Amino acid sequence: TIHATMMLGLFAVFKTAVATAEAASMDLEGALISRVPSGRRRRQEFLEAAGPTLLVLTFLEDSLRVVQQWEGQMAFMQSTMRLGYYLGATLLFLSMLVQTVGSLVVLHAALVPSAKLGLAKRATWSLLAFTIVQPFMYGELTNIDFLCRSLTLAGGLLLCTFAQSKQVASRPRASQWGLPQSNFAADKLQLFGRLMLTLLFFFEALAGSNSGGLHSLIEAPRLLPAVTAVALIAAAVLIAVGFKTEWSALLLACGLVLLDLFWYPFWSAPSYRADHMRYYFFQTLSVAGGLMLLAVHGPGAIALEKRAAEKDF
């Protein structure tokens, strides 16, 4: 009887221990599962704020450049572009005004949830218009590197417009100004932005002076430029076709920021190169901002990963 009582007591203790362990395991599993969406949400909130912030940096820097170098800019407009004094001054003033006001409005909408998104969309379109006009304004139509950078930046602005449209649509009774009238139109906007965002990386991989370009590796093979070129092409292809877009865009954005510090250290450059390197430094950061927007909002419906998901479903 005593042995039977002890056995029953041990069995009861064992059963209680097992139940306690199962409950603790379920609590731990639930805590881990609950942390995953929380971590993803925090990452999305960070990218939604950091993307537009980096995207407008090049416009703020360029508008500041106009103020700091007004006499040099006016001399360029008159001597190189053959524009009259008043026309050149008007163009410079308008460029400074559009870039400053447009950037601040976009920045305000990204950091303040209650901001008027309709106004932010107008500001983004104005920055896009300036990006298109800028090569004509400064006579850079034959500069392939400048054109690729401008188109890449325009792709980032299209993605910013798409993100603002999603926010406008999610608000009740919100103004639909500038919002595509169909899902297919929105998907095309996302597709164009995504493809334009990859132009700079294909150019740098194939002919860029920073990565060395594949064309230079034929004459003088080097390991690091070869790895950089192949990595740029691989990431750009994944983004262009819309496969593993989130992580490809995030890795490319992080890599771009690190390379930017190495390629364009304007703070330690000689005075005759510092201004040029500062412009490209902030423009590269803006491209990284476009990649962050792509990472958080995805490639859209016209993408390989979307087709693969529909097929699996």
Side-chain angles (χ1 to χ4, degrees):
T1 304
I2 296 176
H3 288 292
T5 302
M6 293 178 60
M7 291 296 294
L8 289 175
L10 290 174
F11 179 75
V13 171
F14 177 75
K15 186 176 181 181
T16 303
V18 170
T20 303
E22 289 180 350
S25 177
M26 292 179 64
D27 291 341
L28 178 61
E29 183 179 359
L32 292 175
I33 292 175
S34 64
R35 287 178 62 88
V36 172
S38 178
R40 181 179 179 84
R41 184 168 58 252
R42 285 196 295 268
R43 184 174 74 246
Q44 288 180 339
E45 291 173 353
F46 169 77
L47 293 175
E48 287 175 349
T53 301
L54 291 179
L55 186 62
V56 301
L57 282 182
T58 186
F59 299 104
L60 291 173
E61 188 276 333
D62 194 55
S63 62
L64 182 62
R65 179 195 306 271
V66 173
V67 176
Q68 292 177 333
Q69 304 176 4
W70 180 264
E71 293 183 0
Q73 295 270 347
M74 282 298 301
F76 176 82
M77 288 293 172
Q78 291 178 281
S79 62
T80 304
M81 299 305 298
R82 306 293 182 181
L83 299 177
Y85 177 85
Y86 292 105
L87 180 58
T90 301
L91 288 176
L92 288 176
F93 177 77
L94 288 177
S95 71
M96 179 184 63
L97 182 65
V98 169
Q99 291 183 97
T100 302
V101 176
S103 298
L104 292 178
V105 172
V106 172
L107 193 59
H108 179 260
L111 301 178
V112 180
S114 60
K116 295 182 178 180
L117 293 175
L119 184 61
K121 285 178 63 61
R122 291 176 174 86
T124 306
W125 282 112
S126 68
L127 293 177
L128 180 61
F130 173 79
T131 303
I132 296 172
V133 171
Q134 190 179 31
F136 295 91
M137 181 176 169
Y138 287 97
E140 297 288 351
L141 290 176
T142 58
N143 188 337
I144 303 301
D145 179 51
F146 190 92
L147 290 177
C148 282
R149 287 178 170 274
S150 296
L151 290 173
T152 301
L153 189 58
L157 290 169
L158 286 178
L159 292 174
C160 185
T161 303
F162 178 83
Q164 292 165 343
S165 295
K166 288 178 63 178
Q167 291 178 292
V168 170
S170 65
R171 291 185 178 181
R173 301 170 60 184
S175 172
Q176 299 297 306
W177 187 91
L179 182 67
Q181 297 301 310
S182 66
N183 290 333
F184 183 67
D187 292 335
K188 286 196 295 183
L189 181 67
Q190 183 81 327
L191 174 64
F192 291 148
R194 193 177 80 230
L195 293 177
M196 292 170 68
L197 198 60
T198 63
L199 289 177
L200 176 62
F201 303 104
F202 283 119
F203 175 79
E204 285 292 340
L206 298 174
S209 58
N210 292 310
S211 63
L214 292 179
H215 72 289
S216 64
L217 297 178
I218 299 176
E219 300 177 356
R222 290 174 295 170
L223 179 60
L224 183 59
V227 172
T228 303
V230 171
L232 286 175
I233 291 177
V237 168
L238 288 175
I239 290 175
V241 302
F243 185 70
K244 301 296 182 183
T245 310
E246 178 182 359
W247 293 108
S248 297
L250 280 178
L251 290 174
L252 200 53
C254 294
L256 195 60
V257 171
L258 294 177
L259 288 173
D260 195 24
L261 298 172
F262 174 75
W263 284 344
Y264 307 114
F266 66 91
W267 51 88
S268 62
S271 57
Y272 66 91
R273 294 190 60 195
D275 186 67
H276 171 82
M277 296 183 73
R278 187 180 72 174
Y279 175 79
Y280 279 94
F281 176 84
F282 284 101
Q283 192 180 60
T284 303
L285 286 181
S286 293
V287 173
L291 288 167
M292 290 180 181
L293 287 173
L294 177 62
V296 71
H297 293 289
I302 310 176
L304 192 61
E305 63 185 42
K306 180 71 174 180
R307 300 292 177 86
E310 292 177 349
K311 184 177 180 181
D312 292 339
F313 180 77

